[in-house]
Amino acid sequence: MRINKIRLFIAVILSYIFSILYNGLVHLVILGTANKQVELLRRVDFSSKAWISLLATLATSFLFTLIYSLFVSEKSIKRGTLFGFCFGGFIAIIVDINQYVLYPLPLSLVARWALFGIIEFSLIGMIVGSIVKEKT
């Protein structure tokens, strides 16, 4: 199995851009009011550390695309969406549920974060699945 590096790069960049835009829409617009409930828990120096979040998002985009490229045998939009759904569910379990356990967060907010995360990764899977194909 050979990976087309150009398609991999394009998929990483497009999924990264999508993720930034999607999270801005979800957290600043759709869940903006709900997220204010936990604003006091946020770091006071958040702005100076935002670059870490951007770098983590890029790393996630890269790893998601690489794992899909290497381990999904039948590459398609449908398989990408399913992979993204499963990946999103996994992330929701290990991140969102643990955040609920560790911090005094409203369950309804955590549930919405998890749902929007699963939707995000499903859509990223569609993007990656439409770009990453077997090298011919």
Side-chain angles (χ1 to χ4, degrees), residues 30-49:
I30 298 171
L31 296 178
T33 304
N35 281 336
K36 288 196 183 297
Q37 297 175 60
V38 296
E39 204 167 73
L40 291 174
L41 298 174
R42 187 176 300 143
R43 299 174 66 94
V44 292
D45 60 344
F46 171 76
S47 297
S48 68
K49 303 225 183 319

Side-chain angles (χ1 to χ4, degrees), residues 16-37:
Y16 175 69
I17 292 168
F18 172 80
S19 198
I20 297 297
L21 295 174
Y22 179 87
N23 280 291
L25 174 67
V26 168
H27 293 289
L28 299 176
V29 178
I30 298 171
L31 296 178
T33 304
N35 281 336
K36 288 196 183 297
Q37 297 175 60

Side-chain angles (χ1 to χ4, degrees), residues 97-109:
I97 290 175
N98 279 320
Q99 297 238 349
Y100 176 72
V101 170
L102 291 171
Y103 305 106
L105 300 169
L107 181 59
S108 62
L109 180 59

Side-chain angles (χ1 to χ4, degrees), residues 50-65:
W51 66 272
I52 298 169
S53 182
L54 293 172
L55 193 59
T57 302
L58 180 60
T60 303
S61 295
F62 174 75
L63 289 171
F64 179 96
T65 305

